[in-house]
């Protein structure tokens, strides 16, 4: 759903940029409260994982493909404010380095793909978690539903933005029907990826999942040859559950493999927005991307003739740049939080 330059007129693009900048500013402040010793090491990795999985377009209908948006996944794993920042970092890297998503449309893309998906998904997720039993299966089921609804919500928001600032004269009703219809199907893929990823992390380290805080495995005792739940006690200390390093390395290697190798087998069909834009004539006003001359434009390395090698190298570079940029931002925010809560400041406040 990366909106290119030219789809939305300048005034509305500028207004969306203001909204996106405001939301990012709020998220920077909010993320300082979310980023702790568990979340901070993983936030940059979550951004890199989203970048990698977005390269894996999957077929959803005849001649159409979809890919992960990632707002739901990020919000559940590291928190809604940090989630907005994760997806925004991905969109910035894609726009600047890979000419994917217009630069003048960056505000539109952040508003649609980062803010809308994260907010909708987290609200749905929290609402379901409050009424469902506090189990790993419930966390996974809530993740599925939240991700499923976040994608058509983003399609609706794009349609509204296009209704206000679209640069072609097309029927908004037809655009809305086409966008929501195809993105409901894409939402199913988003939901599957999100639920599998959240479920996998919750199964091994529930303490690392922001949306699963307070969830812990019950202690089992063997009584008369059978395993039974032990009486409730205080949860085991986080430090006793193992280091973050294994999860971090596993996630990074997975991201590199997905972007560097598996991405070659992704669907080559246009994604939902590209297909609708072509069918409805929206793409007539598409402008040349400002980063079209980038050495990595189009997810390939310039002057590398082999398509498999070119795409794989581009994917690996993208994961590397994203994890470095994201980790730098989140560690800086984490240090800022530590400084704000230093003993000297607490003493002064008291």
């Amino acid at each position: 759903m990366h909106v290119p330059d030219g789809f939305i007129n300048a005034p509305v693009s500028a207004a969306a940029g203001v909204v996106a900048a405001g939301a990012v500013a709020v998220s920077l402040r909010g993320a300082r409260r979310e980023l702790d010793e568990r979340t901070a090491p993983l936030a940059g990795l979550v951004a890199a994982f989203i970048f990698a999985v977005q390269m894996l377009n999957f077929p959803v209908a005849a001649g159409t493909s979809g890919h992960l948006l990632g707002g739901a996944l990020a919000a559940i794993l590291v928190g809604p404010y940090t989630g907005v920042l994760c997806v925004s970092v991905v969109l910035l890297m894609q726009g600047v380095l890979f000419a994917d998503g217009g630069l003048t449309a960056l505000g539109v893309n952040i508003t649609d793909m980062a803010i809308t998906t994260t907010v909708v998904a987290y609200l749905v997720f929290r609402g379901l978690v409050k009424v469902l039993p506090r189990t790993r299966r419930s966390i996974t089921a809530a993740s599925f539903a939240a991700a499923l609804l976040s994608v058509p919500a983003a399609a609706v928001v794009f349609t509204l933005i296009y209704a206000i600032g679209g640069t072609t004269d097309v029927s908004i009703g037809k655009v809305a029907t086409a966008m929501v219809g195809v993105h409901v199907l894409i939402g199913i893929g988003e939901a599957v990826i999100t639920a599998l990823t959240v479920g996998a992390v919750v199964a091994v380290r529930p303490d690392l999942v922001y949306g699963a805080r307070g969830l812990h495995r019950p202690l089992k005792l063997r009584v008369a040859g059978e395993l039974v739940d032990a009486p409730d006690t205080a949860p085991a200390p986080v430090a006793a559950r193992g280091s973050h390093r294994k999860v971090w390395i596993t996630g990074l290697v997975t991201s590199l493999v997905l972007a560097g190798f598996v991405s070659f087998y992704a669907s080559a069909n246009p994604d939902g927005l590209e297909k609708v834009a072509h069918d409805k004539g929206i793409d007539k006003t598409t402008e040349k991307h400002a980063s079209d001359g980038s050495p990595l434009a189009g997810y390939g390395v310039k002057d590398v003739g082999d398509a498999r090698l070119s795409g794989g190298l581009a994917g690996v570079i993208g994961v590397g740049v994203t994890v470095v940029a994201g980790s730098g931002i989140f560690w800086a925010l984490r240090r800022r939080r530590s400084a704000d809560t230093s003993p000297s400041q607490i003493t002064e406040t008291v």
Side-chain angles (χ1 to χ4, degrees):
M1 204 182 293
H2 294 76
V3 179
D5 294 321
F7 273 26
I8 308 297
N9 63 33
V12 174
S13 295
V18 172
V19 171
V24 168
V26 171
S27 297
L28 287 169
R29 293 181 62 86
R32 285 163 55 187
R33 298 191 298 270
E34 293 174 346
L35 293 168
D36 55 22
E37 69 280 356
R38 291 172 288 181
T39 335
L42 297 181
L45 177 62
V46 169
F49 182 77
I50 290 172
F51 174 91
V53 180
Q54 282 197 5
M55 294 182 66
L56 309 180
N57 281 47
F58 48 85
V60 294
T64 309
S65 69
H67 62 70
L68 182 81
L69 297 185
L73 179 62
I76 296 165
L77 288 180
V78 293
Y81 293 108
T82 308
V84 169
L85 298 179
C86 284
V87 181
S88 296
V89 168
V90 173
L91 293 171
L92 181 61
M93 295 298 104
Q94 290 171 332
V96 173
L97 298 179
F98 297 90
D100 188 10
L103 295 185
T104 62
L106 182 60
V108 173
N109 285 319
I110 290 177
T111 300
D112 195 28
M113 296 177 64
I115 301 169
T116 300
T117 58
T118 301
V119 171
V120 170
Y122 197 70
L123 289 175
V124 172
F125 176 81
R126 294 305 305 173
L128 290 174
V129 165
K130 287 182 178 180
V131 299
L132 293 174
R134 192 70 172 167
T135 65
R136 285 181 287 172
R137 288 184 178 180
S138 296
I139 297 295
T140 303
S143 301
F144 184 95
L148 176 64
L149 294 175
S150 70
V151 178
V156 170
V157 169
F158 167 78
T159 304
L160 293 174
I161 293 174
Y162 196 82
I164 299 170
T167 53
T168 54
D169 185 17
V170 298
S171 169
I172 298 302
K174 292 181 179 179
V175 171
T177 301
M179 283 291 293
V180 173
V182 72
H183 283 91
V184 166
L185 299 177
I186 294 173
I188 296 173
E190 177 105 9
V192 170
I193 295 170
T194 300
L196 288 176
T197 304
V198 172
V201 180
V202 166
V204 295
R205 291 293 302 274
D207 58 296
L208 296 183
V209 178
Y210 184 89
R213 296 286 172 89
L215 177 69
H216 62 280
R217 300 183 209 173
L219 179 65
K220 296 287 186 179
L221 298 177
R222 187 174 294 279
V223 178
E226 296 184 0
L227 288 176
V228 297
D229 290 344
D232 288 338
T233 58
V238 173
R241 300 179 186 177
S243 169
H244 298 158
R245 184 177 301 176
K246 184 176 181 180
V247 175
W248 199 92
I249 292 174
T250 301
L252 180 60
V253 171
T254 301
S255 300
L256 291 171
V257 170
L258 291 175
F261 177 72
V262 181
S263 62
F264 184 79
Y265 301 97
S267 173
N269 291 330
D271 66 25
L273 176 59
E274 291 172 336
K275 178 66 172 176
V276 173
H278 177 73
D279 290 347
K280 306 302 178 184
I282 296 175
D283 59 357
K284 293 178 181 178
T285 57
T286 303
E287 299 175 359
K288 184 177 180 180
H289 200 287
S291 298
D292 197 46
S294 166
L296 299 173
Y299 295 94
V301 178
K302 188 177 181 181
D303 298 328
V304 175
D306 184 88
R308 187 190 299 267
L309 178 61
S310 177
L313 286 174
V316 168
I317 293 170
V319 168
V321 172
T322 303
V323 75
V324 169
S327 297
I329 292 171
F330 298 125
W331 273 116
L333 289 172
R334 170 62 179 155
R335 287 197 298 269
R336 180 70 179 273
R337 172 184 172 174
S338 299
D340 290 346
T341 57
S342 63
S344 62
Q345 288 187 327
I346 294 175
T347 301
E348 291 174 3
T349 301
V350 175

